[in-house]
């Protein structure tokens, strides 16, 4: 499986001071050096973390694939067409949510999603749809014209009882199988961390995992010793 690293929460930390540090583009370069296969960034309508300048600099700087998570709003579609990421992942967006709360309802928004897919693909941007692990949403994604789906793993990540965990894993595996049968590339992500990711890696056919928050959160501890040592060296 490949790994896409979402750098949104590096920008979240930056926005706490409305300054320039830490720079999500610099973080993306480090992630690439560590071996990740793509960089993921969500350009939200309210620009709460990643902004237009970040995405422009990412496009010019990174050497791997740029996967831009985005809504189907006109403003964001125009921005994506101008920036030309390698991939656009269409996600539902609610301004009041802390993070993406569920998958895209392709069935109920077929015309709008199909139009967005056509416009993006006409500019050689691959399109993925972020959907819940439901067979009808997988089939609708194929009908809408997408070549890729990303299965929302949030319910699995939030499950605590063994029975619920197995239920959600089964749903993801079935959705992945249906997607593969339809000729779709199948990715997965949301809420995955260093403990629960093993369940997803056991599912055959998933090509890439997109993970952000747990990696950025762990890096605070995994990297802070080196940061302190370097500052001590400078101070002394």
């Amino acid at each position: 499986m490949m790994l896409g690293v979402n750098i949104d929460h590096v920008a979240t930390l930056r926005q706490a001071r409305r300054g320039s540090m830490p720079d999500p583009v610099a973080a993306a370069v480090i992630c690439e050096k560590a071996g990740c296969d793509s960089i993921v960034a969500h350009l939200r309508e309210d620009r709460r973390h990643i902004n237009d300048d970040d995405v422009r600099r990412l496009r010019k700087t990174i050497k791997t694939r740029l996967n831009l998570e985005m809504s189907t709003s006109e403003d964001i579609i125009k921005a994506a067409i101008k920036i030309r990421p390698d991939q656009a992942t269409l996600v539902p967006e609610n301004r009041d949510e802390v993070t993406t709360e569920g998958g895209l309802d392709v069935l109920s928004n077929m015309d709008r999603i199909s139009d967005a897919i056509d416009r993006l693909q006409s500019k050689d941007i691959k399109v993925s749809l972020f959907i819940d692990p439901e067979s009808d949403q997988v089939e609708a994604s194929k009908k809408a014209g997408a070549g890729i789906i990303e299965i929302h793993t949030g319910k699995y990540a939030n499950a605590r009882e063994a029975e619920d965990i197995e239920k959600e894993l089964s749903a993801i595996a079935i959705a992945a199988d249906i997607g593969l049968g339809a000729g779709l590339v199948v990715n997965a992500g949301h809420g995955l961390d260093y403990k629960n990711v093993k369940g997803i890696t056991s599912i055959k056919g998933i090509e890439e995992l997109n993970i952000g928050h747990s990696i950025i959160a762990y890096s605070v501890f995994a990297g802070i010793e080196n940061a302190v040592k370097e500052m001590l060296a400078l101070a002394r």
Side-chain angles (χ1 to χ4, degrees), residues 34-60:
C36 77
D37 301 285
S38 68
I39 297 297
V40 185
H42 187 169
L43 185 65
R44 284 182 172 269
E45 293 177 51
D46 61 8
R47 310 304 200 269
R48 69 173 66 165
H49 37 56
I50 294 293
N51 59 42
D52 299 75
D53 182 61
D54 292 331
V55 181
R56 284 191 291 268
R57 291 188 299 121
L58 283 168
R59 176 70 290 176
K60 293 178 181 179

Side-chain angles (χ1 to χ4, degrees), residues 124-143:
D124 296 321
I125 301 170
K126 295 181 179 180
V127 180
S128 173
L129 301 184
F130 182 72
I131 59 171
D132 289 324
E134 300 171 359
S135 59
D136 53 356
Q137 295 294 348
V138 177
E139 292 163 359
S141 298
K142 176 67 175 180
K143 185 177 180 180

Side-chain angles (χ1 to χ4, degrees), residues 52-122:
D52 299 75
D53 182 61
D54 292 331
V55 181
R56 284 191 291 268
R57 291 188 299 121
L58 283 168
R59 176 70 290 176
K60 293 178 181 179
T61 304
I62 66 172
K63 307 301 182 184
T64 56
R65 290 177 289 114
L66 174 59
N67 178 3
L68 185 66
E69 291 187 343
M70 54 181 280
S71 71
T72 56
S73 74
E74 184 64 21
D75 171 52
I76 298 295
I77 290 175
K78 286 181 178 178
I81 288 173
K82 187 174 182 179
I83 293 164
R84 301 284 185 92
D86 300 288
Q87 178 180 316
T89 298
L90 302 185
V91 302
E93 191 170 306
N94 175 358
R95 292 199 180 196
D96 295 327
E97 67 189 2
V98 175
T99 184
T100 306
E101 295 174 342
L104 198 65
D105 187 351
V106 186
L107 278 172
S108 301
N109 299 279
M110 180 68 72
D111 291 342
R112 184 171 184 173
I113 292 171
S114 294
D115 178 67
I117 291 171
D118 289 342
R119 292 172 65 185
L120 292 164
Q121 288 182 341
S122 72

